């Protein structure tokens, strides 16, 4: 819908532009009907003989509305449009066991035909369903080098247990077994004569093993799981010299040797690749003198052994991916923890591949296979093969939530039985030399496919009735579609002029406006028409040589970024690109994180790349952000589902897909990593879980988790806490008051005692103190004046 809106807008813009200035149709370089159709899907050609003034050939090429207004009959217009027809559309099946497997349909439609006019896209809907109870073929490919001895002991009874587990997922299961070591040549293996029969000769820890081999098909796919156990019981490990193994040789042979391995057409093909080391890659064989590239063919002898191991180099990743896709095989890398990142990088280069962590002794291999199978069945991703160079595709996915996701060609988090749909737009960018093409769209790993037959609507019907030496063309030209193709040396709308015949009066017809240069200074005026100069940079065209196909914006030196065509100074972008120089991709699938959010909800998708807006966020999809507020909450879900099988993702198949961080359990959390963020949360059983989250330089996220969570009691009620606090305050206050009263009482008593003691030790009493004189004196008064005078003169004062 988005692309259609853009196209309709372009049509509207073109039509309205014609009213005020030269539009893309009339200002183009078309001198014929076929060239007109290539300019833009809105352009039409008028083949009416008496149409227009005849001054300019390009005036016949315009939008329909303008041609009608200028007098062109509808029947004389050439304006083909794209169309689509469905050739095969069998309905989707609901179960794999309902009928014969050849009748099971997981994808519709199956065949369509499209006739494309360049620039005019066609849409169709594609539906895919993960059918229940679909057959499964599982081929277990095991590294039998010496380091895998303990793993071999573990899987000796794998067949029975695996059949029981897979029996819960499908009623039709087959199992096969193959093994590999490496090329039996120097420098990859021990080649001295004493090592030919026993490469472990002289190796004290394990002195006996079988000769080195490249790949061996031990057990073809079979329903008899007891045969698997029997064959595994017979196996012995071997020994090679260098650390890398020849596993890619084995994967390719297991994929292309369909008859020997026994792959069924109507089944899911699972190839489990178990190893504890890295693989040899293409060009490594040159160390041993192998310069012949791998031919991608099957080379198993009558014993089921890879016979070309010492004749050809190791296969490349591209060849490996091509053969796996060609044979609908899901490859599961089952590797040890230290190799996880290496093989995870390989899955990006090999479509339809997953990686799981294998225990050192392979004891978790059954859980690993079941988890990988569920992960594979939980998603659908479309792949395209044999797409012509001049055809562009764009996808819009509609997954379980019903929301359209433009630019996305995959859906995840599916359950078996779910149906998803994809709107596909197919558009031709040009007209190839050969008329027809066929390409295929198919879900990765599915047998079902959609065949698309393409033909191009680039021809005009009027061209089939061309008249040679027509009288309309002065008998010196060919008349077709309303125009004359003149013989060499003649010019004009009706071939009425010869080259070099020019006069001053005719120059005004070659000017775009009064005062402008003749033919824009980039051509010559001849017979009332501009003949444009040739240029080493490109083509100069237009009625007045005003246009060219090289004066458009560039990006990194590339015209229109290589994603568009230059028309008269303006880039016309191909489907999927926008911008003045077409350097901005509208594809958003690269911005979607594993949880389906655009840029993990921490940024925006600009030109196909995430621009992180959240402080501290980084990564291709802004998925890495230790300092973000929700970082601990996001990682907590992974800790719960991965370690304790609890939380929101415990019953969800997305746990393995979304939680790919490395988880390390420790007894105590240290502070060795200064960039680590400490996270804490309370579990349902009132325990406190602690873990740290950090990002390594390699881009790997690491979660360090405590082995045992800390227990905490139930939290007290708020009222109890309040009463306890108030009571404590009162109690402390009373206690302080009592202490203060006690101190004051003791102090007063000591002072009083000291006073009493001072009084008791005084030398004199108040009565006997010689210095003391009582304030009151007693006198007897005599009655006569003599006595009174005597008393007055001699009395004591």
């Amino acid at each position: 819908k988005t692309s259609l809106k853009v196209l309709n807008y372009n049509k509207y813009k073109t039509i309205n532009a014609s009213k005020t200035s030269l539009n893309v149709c009339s200002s183009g370089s078309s001198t014929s009907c076929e060239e007109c159709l290539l300019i833009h899907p809105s352009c039409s050609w008028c083949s009416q003989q008496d149409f227009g003034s005849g001054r300019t050939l390009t005036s016949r090429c315009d939008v329909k509305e303008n041609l009608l207004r200028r007098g062109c009959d509808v029947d004389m217009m050439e304006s083909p449009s794209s169309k689509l027809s469905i050739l095969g559309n069998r309905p989707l099946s609901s179960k794999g066991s309902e009928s014969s497997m050849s009748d099971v349909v997981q994808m519709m439609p199956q065949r369509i035909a499209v006739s494309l006019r360049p620039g005019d896209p066609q849409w169709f809907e594609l539906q895919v369903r993960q059918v229940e109870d679909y057959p499964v073929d599982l081929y277990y490919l095991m590294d039998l080098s010496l380091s895998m001895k303990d793993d071999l002991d573990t899987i000796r009874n794998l067949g029975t247990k695996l059949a029981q587990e897979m029996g819960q997922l499908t009623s039709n299961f087959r199992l096969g077994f193959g093994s590999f070591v490496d090329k039996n040549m120097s420098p990859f293996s021990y080649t001295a004569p004493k090592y030919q029969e026993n490469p472990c000769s002289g190796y004290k820890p394990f002195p006996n093993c079988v000769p080195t081999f490249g790949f061996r098909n031990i057990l073809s796919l079979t329903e008899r799981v007891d045969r698997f156990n029997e064959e595994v019981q017979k196996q012995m490990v071997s020994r090679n010299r260098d650390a890398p193994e020849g596993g890619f040789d084995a994967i390719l042979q297991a994929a292309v040797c369909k008859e020997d391995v026994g792959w069924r057409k109507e089944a899911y093909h699972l190839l489990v690749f178990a190893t504890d080391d890295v693989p040899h890659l293409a060009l490594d064989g040159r160390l041993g003198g192998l310069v012949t590239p791998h031919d991608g063919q099957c080379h198993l002898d009558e014993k089921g052994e890879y016979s070309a191991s010492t004749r050809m180099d190791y296969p490349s990743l591209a060849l490996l991916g091509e053969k796996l896709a060609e044979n609908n095989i899901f490859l599961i890398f089952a590797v040890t923890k230290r190799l996880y990142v290496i093989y995870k990088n390989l899955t990006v280069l090999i479509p339809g591949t997953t990686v799981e962590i294998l225990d050192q002794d392979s004891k978790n291999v059954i859980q690993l296979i079941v988890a990988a199978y569920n992960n594979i069945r939980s998603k659908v991703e479309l792949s395209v093969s044999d797409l012509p160079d001049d055809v562009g595709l764009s996808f819009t996915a509609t997954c379980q939530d019903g929301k359209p996701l433009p630019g996305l060609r995959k859906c995840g988090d599916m359950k078996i039985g779910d149906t998803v749909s994809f709107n596909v737009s197919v558009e031709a960018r040009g007209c190839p030399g050969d008329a027809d093409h066929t390409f295929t769209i198919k879900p990765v790993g599915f047998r079902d496919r959609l065949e698309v037959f393409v033909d191009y609507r680039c021809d005009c019907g009027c061209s089939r009735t061309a008249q040679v030496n027509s009288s309309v063309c002065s008998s010196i030209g060919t008349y077709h579609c309303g125009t004359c193709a003149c013989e060499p040396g003649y010019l004009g709308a009706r071939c009425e002029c010869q080259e070099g015949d020019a006069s001053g009066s005719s120059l005004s017809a070659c000017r775009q406006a009064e005062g402008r240069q003749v033919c824009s200074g980039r051509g010559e005026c001849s017979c009332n028409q501009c003949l444009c100069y040739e240029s080493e940079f490109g083509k100069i065209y237009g009625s007045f040589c005003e246009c060219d196909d090289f004066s458009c914006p560039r990006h990194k030196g590339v015209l229109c970024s290589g994603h568009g065509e230059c028309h008269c100074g303006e880039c016309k972008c191909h489907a999927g690109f926008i911008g003045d120089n077409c350097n901005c991709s509208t594809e958003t699938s690269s911005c979607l994180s594993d949880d389906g959010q655009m840029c993990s909800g921490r940024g925006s998708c600009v030109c196909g790349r995430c621009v992180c807006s959240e402080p501290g966020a980084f990564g291709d999809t802004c998925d890495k952000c230790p300092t973000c507020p929700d970082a601990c909450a996001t990682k907590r879900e992974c800790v719960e589902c991965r370690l304790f099988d609890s939380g929101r993702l415990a019953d969800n198949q997305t746990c393995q897909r979304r939680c790919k961080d490395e988880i390390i359990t420790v007894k105590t959390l240290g502070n060795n990593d200064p960039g680590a963020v400490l996270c804490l949360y309370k579990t349902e059983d009132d325990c406190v879980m602690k873990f740290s989250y950090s990002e390594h330089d390699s881009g790997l996220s690491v979660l360090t988790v405590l082995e045992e969570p800390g227990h905490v009691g139930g939290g007290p009620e708020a009222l109890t806490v309040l009463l306890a606090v108030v009571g404590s305050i009162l109690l402390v206050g009373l206690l302080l008051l009592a202490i203060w009263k006690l101190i004051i009482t003791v102090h007063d008593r000591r002072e009083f005692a000291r006073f009493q003691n001072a009084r008791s030790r005084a030398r004199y009493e108040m009565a006997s103190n010689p210095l003391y004189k009582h304030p009151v004196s007693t006198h007897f008064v005599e009655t006569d004046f003599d006595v009174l005078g005597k008393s007055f003169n001699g009395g004591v004062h």
Side-chain angles (χ1 to χ4, degrees):
K1 293 181 180 179
T2 303
S3 297
L4 285 175
K5 289 180 180 178
V6 172
L7 179 59
N8 289 335
Y9 170 74
N10 287 337
K11 287 184 178 181
Y12 176 84
K13 182 176 68 173
T14 300
I15 293 171
N16 284 272
S18 64
K19 299 178 182 179
T20 57
S21 61
L22 293 173
N23 61 41
V24 68
C25 300
S26 63
S27 63
S29 60
S30 59
T31 58
S32 66
C33 181
E34 285 76 13
E35 290 182 1
C36 177
L37 299 185
L38 287 174
I39 294 176
H40 195 273
S42 66
C43 298
S44 300
W45 178 270
C46 181
S47 60
Q48 190 171 311
Q49 179 178 338
D50 58 351
F51 176 76
S53 64
R55 183 181 67 81
T56 57
L57 298 176
T58 55
S59 61
R60 292 181 176 272
C61 184
D62 210 330
V63 293
K64 269 187 178 181
E65 288 78 1
N66 292 350
L67 293 176
L68 287 172
R69 189 175 65 251
R70 290 160 55 192
C72 183
D73 293 338
V74 175
D75 295 339
M76 302 302 293
M77 289 187 191
E78 295 285 345
S79 182
S81 59
S82 299
K83 63 179 182 179
L84 180 145
S85 58
I86 298 178
L87 307 180
N89 196 27
R90 294 165 56 201
L92 297 172
S93 304
S94 57
K95 272 197 173 183
S97 57
E98 285 185 347
S99 57
S100 63
M101 291 312 302
S102 60
D103 296 330
V104 176
V105 178
Q106 297 188 99
M107 179 181 184
M108 62 179 289
Q110 295 81 41
R111 298 170 70 240
I112 64 173
V114 288
S115 296
L116 297 176
R117 176 180 173 177
D120 185 18
Q122 281 291 295
W123 287 83
F124 60 89
E125 184 181 50
L126 189 63
Q127 291 186 331
V128 183
R129 175 181 295 169
Q130 290 278 17
V131 174
E132 298 180 21
D133 197 23
Y134 202 78
V136 176
D137 287 348
L138 190 150
Y139 192 78
Y140 194 85
L141 183 58
M142 184 175 181
D143 178 2
L144 282 189
S145 59
L146 191 57
S147 58
M148 294 287 285
K149 181 181 181 302
D150 53 345
D151 300 75
L152 181 60
D153 296 334
T154 302
I155 70 163
R156 295 197 185 277
N157 295 314
L158 173 66
T160 304
K161 297 178 182 177
L162 186 57
Q164 292 173 352
E165 291 291 334
M166 294 299 294
Q168 302 177 18
L169 304 174
T170 176
S171 61
N172 195 338
F173 176 67
R174 298 201 310 170
L175 187 61
F177 182 69
S179 61
F180 67 91
V181 182
D182 206 345
K183 297 181 182 295
N184 191 14
M185 60 185 299
S186 182
F188 313 114
S189 299
Y190 296 94
T191 57
K194 68 174 183 177
Y195 295 124
Q196 290 301 311
E197 297 299 325
N198 182 13
C200 297
S201 177
Y203 184 66
K204 294 182 180 180
F206 193 77
N208 296 306
C209 57
V210 298
T212 307
F213 58 93
F215 164 70
R216 185 176 294 157
N217 177 34
I218 299 172
L219 176 66
S220 299
L221 293 161
T222 176
E223 296 89 352
R224 293 183 54 191
V225 295
D226 56 330
R227 287 281 315 280
F228 181 92
N229 296 338
E230 292 173 5
E231 293 298 332
V232 174
Q233 295 283 349
K234 301 175 185 177
Q235 302 308 308
M236 292 182 62
V237 295
S238 183
R239 185 187 183 198
N240 61 321
R241 171 175 286 176
D242 58 353
E245 319 290 5
F248 280 8
D249 267 345
I251 291 175
L252 186 62
Q253 292 303 299
V256 299
C257 298
K258 295 179 287 187
E259 291 76 14
D260 299 89
V261 173
W263 297 113
R264 293 176 292 180
K265 291 184 178 179
E266 301 83 13
Y268 278 109
H269 302 160
L270 305 183
L271 178 57
V272 180
F273 178 79
T275 185
D276 64 347
D277 223 317
V278 295
H280 275 298
L281 303 175
L283 301 182
D284 285 358
R286 296 194 175 191
L287 297 173
L290 301 178
V291 296
T292 304
H294 205 291
D295 60 5
Q297 302 299 316
C298 178
H299 295 281
L300 293 187
D301 59 18
E302 63 277 2
K303 296 180 181 179
E305 292 194 10
Y306 178 37
S307 59
S309 177
T310 57
R311 299 202 307 268
M312 289 188 297
D313 193 7
Y314 299 96
S316 65
L317 292 174
L319 179 61
L320 206 60
E322 176 187 338
K323 295 302 177 182
L324 289 171
E326 183 180 308
N327 295 282
N328 305 320
I329 294 176
F330 289 104
L331 176 61
I332 303 171
F333 287 126
V335 299
T336 52
K337 182 183 293 186
R338 70 181 181 87
L339 302 175
Y340 179 82
V341 175
I342 296 175
Y343 280 89
K344 183 64 176 177
N345 293 334
L346 293 178
T347 63
V348 179
L349 304 174
I350 308 176
T353 307
T354 59
V355 59
E356 301 289 343
I357 297 178
L358 183 69
D359 288 347
Q360 291 294 338
D361 56 357
S362 296
K363 63 183 179 181
N364 69 327
V365 66
I366 294 180
Q367 294 83 353
L368 180 151
I369 292 173
V370 172
Y373 174 76
N374 288 329
N375 184 33
I376 290 170
R377 294 299 308 270
S378 70
K379 61 186 178 182
V380 168
E381 182 175 1
L382 300 182
S383 65
V384 182
S385 57
D386 302 323
L387 182 68
D389 293 336
D390 49 18
V391 172
L393 293 180
S394 62
F395 295 84
T396 299
T398 303
C399 302
Q400 299 91 312
D401 57 3
K403 297 179 181 178
L405 300 172
L408 197 64
R409 63 169 72 180
K410 63 180 179 180
C411 286
D413 298 337
M414 293 177 59
K415 296 179 181 178
I416 295 177
D418 285 350
T419 303
V420 294
S421 62
F422 300 88
N423 281 333
V424 185
S425 170
V426 54
E427 178 182 355
R429 302 191 186 102
C431 291
D434 47 345
D436 301 329
H437 284 105
T438 302
F439 66 91
T440 302
I441 302 176
K442 65 186 294 293
V444 175
F446 282 56
R447 171 181 62 91
D448 304 74
R449 64 187 61 212
L450 167 65
E451 289 184 303
V452 183
F453 303 93
V454 181
D455 63 83
Y456 303 89
R457 309 201 71 182
C458 298
D459 297 329
C460 296
C462 57
S463 297
R464 304 187 187 100
T465 59
Q467 303 173 17
V468 180
N469 296 325
S470 170
S471 59
V472 179
C473 303
S474 306
S475 300
I476 49 175
T478 301
Y479 178 79
H480 66 96
C481 295
T483 63
C484 290
C486 303
E487 296 292 336
Y490 292 89
L491 302 171
R494 296 292 178 259
C495 305
E496 69 274 17
C497 299
Q498 287 186 309
E499 289 186 1
D501 181 16
S503 63
S505 61
S506 65
L507 294 179
S508 59
C510 296
R511 300 180 191 272
Q512 193 171 6
E514 187 67 30
R516 294 285 186 92
Q517 288 183 293
V518 175
C519 298
S520 303
R522 303 199 294 181
E524 295 180 356
C525 184
S526 178
C527 201
N528 295 333
Q529 297 186 45
C530 286
L531 300 179
C532 303
Y533 297 140
E534 292 184 356
S535 173
E536 60 181 353
F537 301 108
K539 186 176 182 180
I540 299 175
Y541 58 91
S543 302
F544 309 100
C545 302
E546 75 278 11
C547 295
D548 60 59
D549 60 0
F550 53 82
S551 297
C552 286
R554 299 172 182 264
H555 179 66
K556 295 183 178 180
V558 180
L559 189 67
C560 298
S561 305
H563 301 304
E565 305 295 334
C566 182
H567 289 290
C568 204
E570 183 180 355
C571 286
K572 303 298 179 183
C573 302
H574 296 158
F577 293 91
I578 58 175
D580 292 340
N581 54 12
C582 303
N583 69 324
C584 186
S585 172
T586 59
E587 180 76 22
T588 60
S589 59
S590 59
C591 295
L592 289 175
S593 56
D594 289 338
D595 58 0
Q597 293 191 78
M598 191 67 65
C599 298
S600 304
R602 300 184 181 119
S604 57
C605 189
V606 179
C607 297
R609 300 185 65 180
C610 281
V611 177
C612 304
S613 57
E614 184 80 18
F618 64 98
D620 292 339
T621 59
C622 303
D623 54 324
K624 301 182 183 302
C625 186
T627 59
C628 288
D630 60 341
C632 286
T634 303
K635 300 303 178 182
R636 166 188 173 176
E637 295 178 348
C638 293
V639 171
E640 288 178 335
C641 75
R642 286 272 299 275
L643 293 185
F644 307 108
D645 195 24
S646 63
R648 186 174 65 88
L649 302 180
D651 298 327
N652 198 324
Q653 297 177 354
T654 60
C655 182
Q656 291 294 328
R657 178 177 61 83
R658 290 179 54 182
C659 302
K660 300 174 182 178
D661 301 330
E662 180 181 1
I663 298 181
I664 302 173
T665 56
V666 295
K667 293 183 178 179
T668 58
L669 277 178
N671 296 322
N672 298 331
D673 188 355
V677 176
L678 180 63
C679 302
L680 300 92
Y681 69 91
K682 187 177 179 181
T683 63
E684 296 177 355
D685 53 353
D686 292 331
C687 292
V688 174
M689 196 67 207
K690 298 181 180 180
F691 66 93
S692 64
Y693 166 37
S694 61
E695 297 283 351
H696 284 186
D697 294 337
S698 61
L700 182 67
S701 300
V702 178
L703 303 178
T704 305
V705 187
L706 279 177
E707 291 182 352
E708 296 292 338
H711 183 75
V712 295
E717 296 184 357
L719 182 60
T720 304
V721 174
L722 179 61
L723 292 176
V725 172
V726 173
S728 299
I729 294 173
L730 291 175
L731 181 61
V732 172
L734 291 174
L735 181 61
L736 291 175
L737 185 61
I739 293 173
W740 177 80
K741 180 62 177 176
L742 178 62
I743 293 173
I744 294 300
T745 302
V746 172
H747 178 271
D748 289 349
R749 287 182 179 179
R750 285 180 179 176
E751 290 298 320
F752 182 74
R754 187 179 297 114
F755 172 73
Q756 289 290 83
N757 188 33
R759 288 187 59 189
S760 64
R761 288 186 297 175
R763 177 177 296 181
Y764 304 105
E765 295 292 340
M766 285 186 185
S768 60
N769 190 347
L771 300 179
Y772 176 75
K773 183 108 176 137
H774 198 279
V776 179
S777 300
T778 304
H779 301 279
F780 296 97
V781 179
E782 297 182 9
T783 58
D784 53 29
F785 289 100
D786 293 331
V787 174
L788 182 59
K790 181 181 178 181
S791 175
F792 178 79
N793 294 321
V796 178
H797 295 283

